[in-house]
Amino acid sequence: MTTLIATRPVDGWNSMLALRTLRELGAGSAAPEPIRDIERFADVLANRVLVPLDDLTPDGCARLWRRTGEQHDL
């Protein structure tokens, strides 16, 4: 993995997770939200960008969390 970017368009705006930052893009967008823990990361994946966590390997979310941290620190 070089960079994780997941997006979901909904009614004129997009939820975008880029590495460990959630951005809501569209009219009235909020400030980017840094994701600070794996629980929030899993919640954003599952509920904002609709990545089915059951489709990941048993440690898939934890692996993505570690890898995004490595990329974030570059």
Side-chain angles (χ1 to χ4, degrees):
M1 180 181 83
T2 57
T3 301
L4 171 69
I5 297 175
T7 65
R8 178 179 151 226
V10 177
D11 298 328
W13 57 274
N14 284 294
S15 288
M16 181 176 77
L17 177 64
L19 295 174
R20 291 187 177 180
T21 302
L22 174 64
R23 290 179 171 83
E24 300 290 348
L25 307 171
S29 296
E33 175 193 343
I35 307 299
R36 303 197 187 283
D37 59 54
I38 192 170
E39 291 80 14
R40 178 68 176 138
F41 183 73
D43 177 63
V44 168
L45 280 173
N47 298 307
R48 291 288 184 97
V49 295
L50 301 182
V51 172
L53 299 183
D54 290 343
D55 287 355
L56 301 177
T57 61
D59 69 337
C61 191
R63 285 184 62 210
L64 286 174
W65 176 251
R66 284 191 306 274
R67 296 294 300 272
T68 57
E70 292 167 5
Q71 291 296 312
H72 193 268
D73 293 339
L74 291 178

